[in-house]
Amino acid sequence: MSGTPSEVREAGGRVPDHQEPSGERVRLGVDVGGTFTDLVAVDPDGGVRFAKVPSVPTDPSDAVLAAVAAAGLAPTQVGTFAHGTTVATNTLLERAGARTALVTTRGFRDVIEIGRQNRPSLYDLTRDRPPSLVPRELRFTVAERCGPTGVIEPLRDEDVARVVEEVAAVPDLAAVAVCLLFSFAFPAHEQAVATALRRRLPGITVVASSEVLPVFREYERFTTAVADAYLTPGLSTYLRRLEHRCARRSLTVPMIMQSSGGVTELAEAAGHAARCVLSGPAGGVVGAAYVAGLSGVRDLLTFDMGGTSTDVAPVLGGRALTTSESVLAGVPIMLPTVDVHSVSAGGGSIAWADAGGALRVGPRSAGADPGPACYGRGGTRPTVTDADLYLGYLADGAGLGGEVTLSRAAAEAALSGLGAELGLTPAQAAAGVVAVADAEMTRALRVVSVERGIDPRELVLVAFGGAGGTHACALAEELGMSRVLVPLAAGVLSALGLAIGDVRRDHARPLIGRLGEVDLARAFADLAADATADADAATTTTTTTTTATATDAAASAEPGQASEESPAVLQRRVDCRYAGQSHELTIDVAEPEDAELREAEAGDAVGAASMAQAVRVAFEAEHLRRYGHIAPEREIETVAVRLVVTVRGPRPVPVAPPADPTVRRGRRQAWLDGAWQDVDVVPRAALGVGDVVAGPAVVEFAEATCLLRPGWTGTVDDVGTLVLTRQL
């Protein structure tokens, strides 16, 4: 995909003229990845234009603005602008965050280091745990104590003053996390300490756990608050710099994608970085669910293979599954997150031979600079992209991002060195690299399907990212799947997800007790009251809203039209478990459609019993799916209630562009099933609605490549998605 303005691709059935559209402005999404930065601009009439430029690791904002320029967009053309970033993710992975202190209850300074009994490798005595984000010498305590019923030991003013001065004496301090015991239920002590720290240390990030995660379990609450403090200064600096640079160019200030799959205001993201640790991957899941819905698919696995990593996630019933139990780089972050599993197996993952002579791929990556050997920018180590190029899946001399031209000779040189170490020919080494990478990605897909109680054979694989389509058929075969979707915007689908992202706020409160005894209706009413101001604020950030989901929009809108407008949506959820269990499941609680039922639910015993029964039914259905059994005789207890406030924007439905009769097809050799074979090479622009491609073949998109293995057939549907099927 070229990044020069004259070569930016457009889709949607319109002739590219790069003139400012009349009426409504475009919705812009920009996703910064480890290797490339992608842009999608969605016009009100359904037209979509793409751009891809190399990322700039030293300052990602450079690539963001370069992508806007590459798309040929004037600032006055841009309406809503959403941004996904890996700044917080990379900071946590590299342990490059701010110097952070922790203030906690006396006797609990080591909670974040002790952790829990569960370990990735329980009996491996040589395995080191990831280091704590706050070293022990930067953990301070105050004498106070709250319990389940309230204050046990009061917090004294002189103790607060003492700990504030101790923290203030820390050199080069950038952030403080305040995590007191039972502050999720009784936050007064924690708020007092946080207020004193903010007064004494202006300019220093101060995070109180009761503000970030007001739910029980001190270890997870502490680690989440500490991660928020640790990451916020760096992300805030980047976002404020991007905001300033956008303002200087009269460009709309971007909203930021959260890990939950919804966007929020830049100021909110800059103040709580832990909510954005999976910002980029979440955008990909949103985009995949949307385009799959347009093709009539509601149950799918997303497969996003980029330059640095691969991200996979399940989508059921048109909705991305979310979790509050994510762990990133060994740090539990218990905030709502799209249920994404990531592995270090991207196009830039470096292949190497370990001490035992086994071929390995990743976790090290060539990144954007210098990149794979075939980029010709100084890289010498073989990567997955080099293997794909040498095996004929990618074209020698193809351009990427306007600044990279692929060289098969450079890829062969790098693979020859690896092959010499392993006693293999370059072709064998390349095939081995692809096989190892495919095995790692197949394991990732099993984690989010089989290990979640989901049969992948009943789902459709949606492949995107620059390399997703290249490896999709092989992964589908391993999982027994018979359908793969490769969207028209496959190479930039995460950016498309950003462009259509919903504005979202998550609210939570503890509610511990037996189902049927706790007042769920009152708890939800209290949360709704707290969320009203946030919902009003979120509504003002978009010019139009809708309650339709992506798949609903696809069903109700004609191609090129946006869905109808409507107000914010409130989604009620409850965390519950069987009495005696140590972990809970999050269950959706439907809003009664009848007004009389809503009134009964809020104040009538019959309504409360009806809600409790609905929660039990939903909980046991999810428990059966996840764990394979239920216990109808056991009582259920609630742990927390949650309210998700969503303001959904219009989703223009793209129109598949017609086939370009001037584009020429070709043939080349590709390595398939242990031998070189002649395969058809079909430019994506040569395909119109209803056109069919039979494997083995390579379909070359503007910013991605799709490999159809033998036995697979591809057909272009009404929205431009290439639908791959195989006969089982």
Side-chain angles (χ1 to χ4, degrees):
M1 172 64 203
S2 176
T4 58
S6 62
E7 296 176 315
V8 170
R9 290 298 304 267
E10 294 206 11
R14 298 185 298 108
V15 177
D17 55 15
H18 301 294
Q19 299 298 312
E20 182 171 338
S22 59
E24 297 181 62
R25 296 180 293 176
V26 301
R27 298 174 63 86
L28 189 65
V30 179
D31 175 47
V32 177
T35 306
F36 288 101
T37 292
D38 301 331
L39 175 145
V40 167
V42 182
D43 293 335
D45 63 356
V48 181
R49 67 186 83 180
F50 318 140
K52 183 184 287 282
V53 300
S55 294
V56 182
T58 55
D59 187 354
S61 65
D62 284 345
V64 173
L65 298 176
V68 176
L73 291 169
T76 54
Q77 292 178 262
V78 179
T80 303
F81 176 13
H83 174 40
T85 174
T86 57
V87 169
T89 312
N90 294 338
T91 298
L92 193 58
L93 291 171
E94 298 166 7
R95 288 299 195 271
R99 184 169 168 82
T100 303
L102 169 66
V103 178
T104 187
T105 302
R106 184 176 57 190
F108 290 85
R109 66 186 298 198
D110 295 325
V111 163
I112 62 171
E113 191 162 355
I114 295 171
R116 295 201 178 277
Q117 176 63 29
N118 52 314
R119 304 284 192 274
S121 184
L122 185 60
Y123 300 107
D124 186 352
L125 300 180
T126 66
R127 183 153 183 170
D128 292 330
R129 298 184 62 199
S132 170
L133 299 182
V134 180
R136 197 168 196 272
E137 64 270 17
L138 296 185
R139 303 176 204 157
F140 305 90
T141 64
V142 291
E144 68 84 40
R145 190 66 178 268
C146 291
T149 59
V151 176
I152 297 173
E153 179 180 356
L155 177 68
R156 296 176 298 166
D157 291 342
E158 56 268 28
D159 213 28
V160 174
R162 173 193 56 78
V163 79
V164 166
E165 292 306 317
E166 290 177 352
V167 172
V170 175
D172 302 321
L173 186 70
V176 185
V178 185
C179 307
L180 303 186
L181 205 64
F182 275 91
S183 64
F184 67 92
F186 306 100
H189 288 180
E190 190 172 271
Q191 291 297 327
V193 175
T195 299
L197 285 166
R198 288 167 179 152
R199 187 182 303 118
R200 176 67 175 82
L201 301 171
I204 299 295
T205 297
V206 177
V207 172
S209 70
S210 56
E211 298 170 351
V212 176
L213 187 65
V215 298
F216 90 125
R217 287 203 178 95
E218 67 273 10
Y219 171 59
E220 288 79 6
R221 179 163 50 86
F222 285 19
T223 58
T224 301
V226 166
D228 197 53
Y230 181 79
L231 298 172
T232 292
L235 182 64
S236 178
T237 298
Y238 163 66
L239 292 180
R240 294 303 182 187
R241 181 169 63 250
L242 177 61
E243 179 183 32
H244 176 69
R245 297 184 70 178
C246 288
R248 289 179 58 187
R249 290 164 174 76
S250 300
L251 187 65
T252 301
V253 174
M255 303 189 75
I256 309 302
M257 175 61 76
Q258 304 173 94
S259 303
S260 61
V263 297
T264 190
E265 297 86 349
L266 183 144
E268 179 71 16
H272 292 290
R275 296 174 183 171
C276 303
V277 290
L278 291 176
S279 174
V285 177
V286 171
Y290 172 62
V291 297
L294 297 176
S295 297
V297 174
R298 295 176 60 84
D299 300 318
L300 55 129
L301 293 177
T302 70
F303 168 49
D304 178 7
M305 185 178 178
T308 305
S309 63
T310 291
D311 306 305
V312 298
V315 175
L316 299 180
R319 293 176 51 192
L321 300 188
T322 58
T323 180
S324 297
E325 299 180 355
S326 59
V327 178
L328 185 63
V331 180
I333 298 179
M334 298 307 174
L335 296 171
T337 304
V338 172
D339 193 7
V340 173
H341 181 66
S342 301
V343 292
S344 300
S349 295
I350 294 173
W352 52 287
D354 66 16
L359 176 60
R360 306 284 296 276
V361 176
R364 291 172 294 176
S365 172
D369 186 16
C374 62
Y375 282 12
R377 303 176 69 178
T380 59
R381 306 292 300 277
T383 66
V384 176
T385 296
D386 293 306
D388 286 341
L389 175 61
Y390 182 79
L391 296 176
Y393 309 153
L394 306 179
D396 186 20
L400 297 176
E403 299 180 21
V404 173
T405 300
L406 300 184
S407 168
R408 188 174 186 272
E412 182 176 6
L415 290 162
S416 295
L418 177 65
E421 290 186 63
L422 299 170
L424 303 174
T425 66
Q428 291 171 331
V433 170
V434 170
V436 172
D438 284 353
E440 183 70 14
M441 293 183 290
T442 300
R443 281 194 292 270
L445 287 165
R446 291 186 188 280
V447 167
V448 298
S449 58
V450 177
E451 294 186 16
R452 304 283 196 276
I454 302 169
D455 187 347
R457 296 171 297 182
E458 298 177 356
L459 307 182
V460 175
L461 186 65
V462 179
F464 55 102
T470 308
H471 295 256
C473 289
L475 303 190
E477 290 174 11
E478 285 294 322
L479 294 167
M481 304 175 74
S482 59
R483 293 182 67 197
V484 173
L485 303 185
V486 185
L488 183 63
V492 292
L493 197 66
S494 291
L496 176 62
L498 295 169
I500 63 171
D502 305 328
V503 179
R504 171 171 170 154
R505 294 286 183 87
D506 289 86
H507 305 266
R509 279 192 177 189
L511 186 67
I512 301 175
R514 296 298 172 94
L515 185 64
E517 298 177 2
V518 296
D519 193 342
L520 282 172
R522 173 52 54 195
F524 283 126
D526 291 342
L527 272 183
D530 293 343
T532 298
D534 283 340
D536 292 341
T539 302
T540 62
T541 64
T542 55
T543 56
T544 56
T545 60
T546 177
T547 57
T549 63
T551 47
D552 292 335
S556 62
E558 295 296 326
Q561 295 181 350
S563 51
E564 297 295 323
E565 298 182 10
S566 57
V569 176
L570 304 183
Q571 180 185 6
R572 306 184 302 176
R573 315 187 80 187
V574 56
D575 295 354
C576 50
R577 62 192 182 185
Y578 283 124
Q581 285 184 320
S582 59
H583 290 278
E584 55 278 351
L585 297 173
T586 300
I587 304 301
D588 289 336
V589 180
E591 180 82 22
E593 296 182 3
D594 186 89
E596 293 184 2
L597 287 178
R598 284 197 296 271
E599 291 181 7
E601 179 185 276
D604 182 82
V606 174
S610 176
M611 178 188 284
Q613 180 59 26
V615 170
R616 171 175 279 276
V617 170
F619 168 78
E620 292 192 329
E622 179 65 10
H623 198 281
L624 180 63
R625 185 185 71 81
R626 289 289 297 271
Y627 305 119
H629 69 93
I630 58 174
E633 73 285 354
R634 293 180 64 179
E635 291 193 65
I636 294 174
E637 60 184 11
T638 64
V639 173
V641 289
R642 303 176 185 273
L643 189 69
V644 182
V645 183
T646 306
V647 180
R648 291 176 172 154
R651 290 166 165 82
V653 180
V655 180
D660 184 348
T662 66
V663 176
R664 303 187 62 170
R665 306 187 183 206
R667 287 180 69 79
R668 68 169 176 259
Q669 283 203 323
W671 182 274
L672 294 168
D673 300 326
W676 293 101
Q677 301 183 35
D678 285 331
V679 302
D680 292 326
V681 178
V682 184
R684 175 62 186 82
L687 300 175
V689 174
D691 285 348
V692 178
V693 179
V698 172
V699 179
E700 296 182 335
F701 290 65
E703 69 297 320
T705 300
C706 176
L707 172 66
L708 280 75
R709 284 180 44 77
W712 287 84
T713 301
T715 306
V716 178
D717 70 9
D718 291 342
V719 294
T721 294
L722 186 61
V723 181
L724 311 182
T725 58
R726 73 180 178 111
Q727 191 70 35
L728 295 178

